[in-house]
Amino acid sequence: DIQMTQSPSSLSASVGDRVTITCRASQNISIYLNWYQQKVGKAPKVLIYAATILQSGVPSRFSGSGSGTDFTLTINSLQPGDFATYFCQQDYNSPKTFGLGTKVDIK
Amino acid sequence: QVQLQESGPGLVKPSQTLSLTCTVSGGSISSGGYYWSWIRQHPGKGLEWIGYLSYTGNTYYNPSLKSRLSISVGTSGNQFSLRLNSVTAADTAMYYCARERIDRSGSYFFFDYWGQGTLVTVSS
């Protein structure tokens, strides 16, 4: 199975901050990488797919970059509704696997 | 708007079978290009993909669960079901059903609709 390693596991930030979360795959996954946001008690919501493509309806302050094994999710100007846990997921091959998540909370 | 809703027992005894159903509204599970998945999340942990039922009726399972797992079309309406045999405490988790779709380029898949999840506890 492809292992997805996220860092950091948690971070504290303030409204307006720029936040960067990284995800590393255990092998080359090209750009088959998705990012999800999960709020407490809710199902995950897709933010970005194919490493860089913003899902319809997702604010443009979210962006993704990377290819191969190293990927980044950036949130520009963090908003109150962005405090959540973020997961990466590879869709290069099955079984599809997820990172353990990065929890973003209020500083 | 597509909606998914999980249903089933919240408590299962060890060694018994966990059975869940996902009811889909706003879209047909036989519509081309979609894959209907089960995903679980252990308490305080990350997400684990369990398997899917494709729009053609094919299935694909996570090898770690394959020997105990069955995903099939539901018995009524626009539904699909999960059966996991011989459960242990390690199967205690929040279980989600989700739709996986392919993007317009035809190359990239992602989960675009999820149910709210149902907590299943394995305990005697």
Side-chain angles (χ1 to χ4, degrees):
Chain A
D1 297 3
I2 297 175
Q3 304 303 312
M4 307 300 294
T5 303
Q6 283 184 240
S7 61
S9 57
S10 65
L11 64 90
S12 297
S14 301
V15 172
D17 284 354
R18 183 185 190 201
V19 168
T20 299
I21 298 168
T22 64
C23 179
R24 175 165 288 176
S26 61
Q27 67 180 71
N28 187 337
I29 60 169
S30 183
I31 60 169
Y32 291 87
L33 190 283
N34 305 322
W35 288 100
Y36 298 85
Q37 175 194 67
Q38 185 178 31
K39 297 183 179 179
V40 174
K42 301 293 186 181
K45 167 189 169 184
V46 63
L47 299 174
I48 288 168
Y49 65 93
T52 63
I53 302 175
L54 202 65
Q55 169 68 337
S56 175
V58 174
S60 59
R61 63 179 179 275
F62 292 93
S63 63
S65 64
S67 65
T69 60
D70 294 314
F71 302 86
T72 299
L73 172 69
T74 299
I75 311 171
N76 284 304
S77 188
L78 197 68
Q79 297 300 298
D82 300 338
F83 292 97
T85 299
Y86 295 85
F87 295 94
C88 59
Q89 175 240 330
Q90 66 82 17
D91 202 68
Y92 181 77
N93 64 17
S94 288
K96 306 166 197 296
T97 48
F98 294 81
L100 291 180
T102 296
K103 184 177 180 181
V104 178
D105 61 22
I106 302 172
K107 183 183 286 184
Chain B
Q1 177 79 351
V2 175
Q3 293 185 314
L4 295 88
Q5 179 66 58
E6 306 87 352
S7 59
L11 181 64
V12 182
K13 289 182 166 50
S15 80
Q16 294 192 343
T17 297
L18 182 163
S19 295
L20 297 174
T21 296
C22 182
T23 301
V24 179
S25 58
S28 171
I29 64 170
S30 58
S31 294
Y34 298 117
Y35 297 78
W36 304 91
S37 281
W38 288 97
I39 296 164
R40 68 182 183 180
Q41 187 170 31
H42 294 97
K45 299 292 179 62
L47 295 154
E48 179 183 26
W49 176 76
I50 297 171
Y52 72 61
L53 171 73
S54 79
Y55 62 98
T56 62
N58 293 330
T59 55
Y60 194 97
Y61 301 148
N62 189 321
S64 69
L65 297 168
K66 186 176 181 179
S67 64
R68 301 191 290 131
L69 181 61
S70 174
I71 297 175
S72 60
V73 176
T75 56
S76 61
N78 203 29
Q79 299 176 328
F80 62 105
S81 298
L82 164 75
R83 286 176 59 87
L84 185 65
N85 301 326
S86 305
V87 297
T88 70
D91 295 309
T92 293
M94 181 72 77
Y95 285 76
Y96 295 98
C97 57
R99 186 182 84 168
E100 188 174 26
R101 62 162 294 173
I102 194 165
D103 78 323
R104 293 177 182 176
S105 75
S107 300
Y108 305 103
F109 287 86
F110 56 94
F111 298 104
D112 63 342
Y113 288 101
W114 298 64
Q116 287 300 299
T118 187
L119 179 62
V120 178
T121 301
V122 178
S123 175
S124 56

